[in-house]
Amino acid sequence: MSFPHAIPRPLVRLNQWTILLSVITTWVTGIIWILAISLLANLLGVFFNYNPIIRFGRLFLKKAPSTYIPEDAQQQKFNASIASFCLAGGLLGYLLNWQVVGHIFTVMVAIASSIAIAGFCVGCFLHFQLKQWQYRRSLKKSF
């Protein structure tokens, strides 16, 4: 399966909302396995380039995917990696009855997804900084 270069913004927002709502629902109901939905979807996206939430959302796009504002697929994969790490940390914390650890990780991913929905992507900022650091490091090695 070829990896797309861009993902339509509404599908990225759908994934962000799914992450946020799964965390909130877990907090409200205490059913920690709800986190596994977002975790599994994002892990599938990271490792197999197949996020079922985004695939399902494609069915509901009203226009051609290319007409929406594009989000870089590589960037979204990086963001999904961070979200997966936080969701896994939260799920593991709750499973081990380490409530503080579970809360720390789920609060981090909830805040990040909320901020992303509002328009600023923390993961994008981190990815940019990482790329800048790698570039500066490569310049030093070339001399």
Side-chain angles (χ1 to χ4, degrees):
M1 170 189 245
S2 67
F3 193 58
H5 296 297
I7 302 169
R9 183 172 286 167
L11 299 178
V12 173
R13 291 283 192 258
L14 173 65
N15 194 49
Q16 293 163 342
W17 274 106
T18 303
I19 292 169
L20 179 61
L21 293 175
S22 70
V23 169
I24 292 171
T25 305
T26 297
W27 291 339
V28 170
T29 66
I31 303 170
I32 60 175
W33 291 106
I34 295 171
L35 291 176
I37 296 167
S38 292
L39 175 59
L40 182 61
N42 282 284
L43 284 175
L44 286 170
V46 169
F47 292 114
F48 301 108
N49 299 327
Y50 183 84
N51 184 321
I53 294 167
I54 289 176
R55 288 290 177 160
F56 181 71
R58 278 190 191 276
L59 300 173
F60 299 97
L61 291 178
K62 295 183 182 200
K63 303 182 279 185
S66 61
T67 61
Y68 292 98
I69 296 172
E71 298 280 347
D72 182 56
Q74 180 185 9
Q75 178 68 58
Q76 294 309 312
K77 194 170 187 176
F78 180 81
N79 295 343
S81 299
I82 296 170
S84 296
F85 176 78
C86 290
L87 289 165
L91 182 60
L92 187 62
Y94 289 137
L95 286 173
L96 296 173
N97 285 323
W98 297 345
Q99 300 302 313
V100 173
V101 172
H103 289 322
I104 288 170
F105 280 108
T106 55
V107 164
M108 284 192 306
V109 76
I111 290 171
S113 61
S114 298
I115 293 170
I117 290 166
F120 178 78
C121 176
V122 176
C124 301
F125 177 76
L126 293 173
H127 189 255
F128 175 76
Q129 295 301 320
L130 176 65
K131 292 296 182 186
Q132 288 291 317
W133 177 77
Q134 289 172 339
Y135 175 71
R136 286 190 300 272
R137 198 168 140 218
S138 72
L139 289 178
K140 288 179 184 177
K141 285 184 178 182
S142 66
F143 290 111

